Amino acid sequence: MNSTGHGPLSPTARSTVRRYHERAATDRQALYDVLDAGLVCHLGFVADGGPVVLPSVYGREGDTLYLHASAGARSARVLAPGAPICVTVTHLDAIVYARSVYHNSVNYRSAVVHGTGRLLREEEKRHGMRVVAEHLAPGAWDYGHEPDRKVLARVAVMTLDLAEASVKIRDAPPNDHGDQVDLDKWAGLLPVRTSFGVPEPEARVPDGLPVPEHIRSRRM
Amino acid sequence: MNSTGHGPLSPTARSTVRRYHERAATDRQALYDVLDAGLVCHLGFVADGGPVVLPSVYGREGDTLYLHASAGARSARVLAPGAPICVTVTHLDAIVYARSVYHNSVNYRSAVVHGTGRLLREEEKRHGMRVVAEHLAPGAWDYGHEPDRKVLARVAVMTLDLAEASVKIRDAPPNDHGDQVDLDKWAGLLPVRTSFGVPEPEARVPDGLPVPEHIRSRRM
């Protein structure tokens, strides 16, 4: 057990990695790393018997994930009764070019969290909104105008406990083997990188107002 | 109607964009553009009454999406009876820094497709595998070794029709308005870019074997 209250990732039936299980990570830090490095998650829920997957911004604090439920008013409605949800964060790290087409693959890191969403109210909601804001745009909460009660009423923020989660990582060269290794063919990785570009001021920003440090110095 | 057989995106109850509907795109080309620009999708299905969201590679041909069902043997099992699935592709284009924290946002493009997966067999499966391979690694199919029947048997490939889909795009500056516009505060966009790095040969690639053109010249 670590200080956050949850031990190593304990697979349940639905969080057990079924395929390529050698790619499953079992420590909680791996889960935090994948979640903390992401900017957008994919939130899954069930509506009218079918799955719905919507992108959402989010933030993590300890073993709690906070989600902005702005991906759709529907999600807030569907989540209200405590229905099961699934949140997945994926990083694509490289295209894996193998000598045989069958072994073409991707290097990636992904975290899948199962649980029940809980919609927040009042001060809890303000706190959740801050966690999401600090994840999406670190430093922006203190720099900008805080939301008042009226604004807060228009936002839906929910939490999801990180108790039931799995992490999968592929970080390896192509795995051609045996007679597939034809050394006249090139094989290897094409890295995929995500980075921030040059900040673009909105039209009304006065000339000469510098880009604030928390934006200017931001790195992936 | 266009030549591919489907007309403009026709919203059904579940594919209607509920919130910020001014961000909904209604032309089919917008759907193709979002799907074609992506490398990984998120596949949602229902298992034991709850949602499961897994990353997967995919490819598009006309109005058909092909998915490699390698995200989990479970997904192939769950999809077999023709259960509903949802496939979502999201591009994050910029962090939107507003003057009020409430208006912080992201610029993004996302496509959500609802339908029923169909698992492919034999030659259809080989074709689907090729569509996925050409999307993930254009040129790699002709360059590498084609899969034989034994290899093909280990792969699950499914199709999803693009009949029921929605596209959402936010591509705008921060929308602070009214008395929120404090011109002492900076506001604007921090672009998020995805790019390919320098190809990294696998250990057994002989010195002097050049990186093939289809990999060397690849751009996002």
Side-chain angles (χ1 to χ4, degrees):
Chain A
M1 294 288 282
N2 60 18
S3 61
T4 57
H6 288 293
L9 301 180
S10 318
T12 60
R14 64 185 171 182
S15 73
T16 299
V17 173
R18 314 280 172 122
R19 216 172 151 210
Y20 297 123
H21 50 78
E22 73 279 10
R23 294 179 189 167
T26 50
D27 60 302
R28 192 148 280 275
Q29 189 59 48
L31 173 65
Y32 297 159
D33 289 347
V34 171
L35 295 175
D36 294 354
L39 289 166
V40 167
C41 68
H42 281 84
L43 162 67
F45 55 91
V46 178
D48 304 324
V52 180
V53 179
L54 298 176
S56 178
V57 294
Y58 69 97
R60 181 185 72 85
E61 187 182 59
D63 279 313
T64 303
L65 210 61
Y66 291 84
L67 282 97
H68 212 175
S70 67
R74 184 167 49 165
S75 59
R77 208 175 67 219
V78 167
L79 295 172
I85 62 174
C86 178
V87 172
T88 300
V89 173
T90 304
H91 305 276
L92 178 62
D93 293 324
I95 311 289
V96 178
Y97 286 85
R99 296 173 180 89
S100 68
V101 169
Y102 172 71
H103 283 110
N104 281 352
S105 184
V106 288
N107 277 348
Y108 68 98
R109 291 159 289 147
S110 72
V112 177
V113 184
H114 289 278
T116 302
R118 184 172 68 87
L119 281 169
L120 302 181
R121 307 279 168 210
E122 302 288 338
E123 283 312 303
E124 261 197 324
K125 182 154 81 172
R126 176 182 298 272
H127 177 74
M129 202 176 159
R130 183 175 183 135
V131 173
V132 174
E134 282 299 311
H135 183 92
L136 182 69
W141 187 278
D142 288 333
Y143 180 80
H145 297 287
E146 283 204 23
D148 58 26
R149 293 177 71 94
K150 218 172 80 184
V151 154
L152 211 59
R154 290 201 291 266
V155 184
V157 182
M158 66 179 132
T159 58
L160 172 64
D161 193 84
L162 294 180
E164 193 183 339
S166 61
V167 173
K168 243 175 121 174
I169 296 171
R170 189 194 193 280
D171 177 20
N175 56 356
D176 296 300
H177 41 68
D179 54 6
Q180 291 160 344
V181 179
D182 172 355
L183 293 182
D184 289 339
K185 302 267 186 199
W186 192 92
L189 305 177
L190 182 62
V192 177
R193 301 235 161 82
T194 306
S195 60
F196 293 116
V198 177
E200 301 168 1
E202 186 248 25
R204 291 166 297 179
V205 171
D207 287 346
L209 185 68
V211 180
E213 176 65 18
H214 67 278
I215 300 171
R216 193 167 49 81
S217 65
R218 187 168 186 188
R219 299 289 177 272
M220 282 286 179
Chain B
M1 293 289 282
N2 61 18
S3 61
T4 57
H6 286 295
L9 301 181
S10 318
T12 60
R14 62 185 171 181
S15 73
T16 299
V17 173
R18 315 279 173 123
R19 219 175 147 206
Y20 298 122
H21 50 79
E22 73 280 8
R23 294 179 189 167
T26 51
D27 60 303
R28 193 148 281 275
Q29 189 59 48
L31 173 66
Y32 297 159
D33 289 347
V34 170
L35 294 175
D36 293 354
L39 290 165
V40 167
C41 68
H42 281 84
L43 163 67
F45 55 92
V46 179
D48 304 324
V52 179
V53 179
L54 297 177
S56 178
V57 295
Y58 70 96
R60 180 184 73 86
E61 187 182 57
D63 278 313
T64 303
L65 210 61
Y66 291 85
L67 283 97
H68 212 175
S70 67
R74 182 167 48 165
S75 59
R77 208 175 67 218
V78 167
L79 296 172
I85 63 174
C86 178
V87 171
T88 300
V89 172
T90 305
H91 305 277
L92 178 63
D93 294 322
I95 312 290
V96 179
Y97 287 85
R99 294 171 182 89
S100 69
V101 169
Y102 171 71
H103 283 110
N104 281 351
S105 183
V106 288
N107 277 349
Y108 68 98
R109 292 159 289 148
S110 72
V112 178
V113 185
H114 289 278
T116 302
R118 183 172 70 86
L119 280 169
L120 303 180
R121 307 279 168 209
E122 302 290 339
E123 284 311 303
E124 262 197 322
K125 180 153 83 172
R126 177 183 296 272
H127 177 73
M129 201 175 160
R130 183 175 182 136
V131 173
V132 174
E134 281 300 310
H135 183 91
L136 183 69
W141 187 277
D142 288 333
Y143 180 80
H145 297 287
E146 283 203 25
D148 58 25
R149 293 177 72 93
K150 217 172 81 184
V151 153
L152 211 60
R154 289 200 292 266
V155 184
V157 181
M158 66 179 132
T159 58
L160 173 63
D161 192 86
L162 294 181
E164 194 183 339
S166 61
V167 173
K168 243 175 121 175
I169 296 172
R170 188 194 194 281
D171 178 20
N175 56 355
D176 295 300
H177 41 67
D179 55 5
Q180 290 160 345
V181 179
D182 172 356
L183 294 181
D184 289 341
K185 302 269 187 199
W186 191 92
L189 304 177
L190 182 63
V192 177
R193 301 234 161 84
T194 306
S195 59
F196 292 116
V198 177
E200 301 168 0
E202 187 247 24
R204 290 166 298 179
V205 171
D207 288 344
L209 185 68
V211 180
E213 177 65 18
H214 67 279
I215 301 171
R216 195 169 46 83
S217 65
R218 187 169 187 189
R219 300 287 177 273
M220 281 287 179

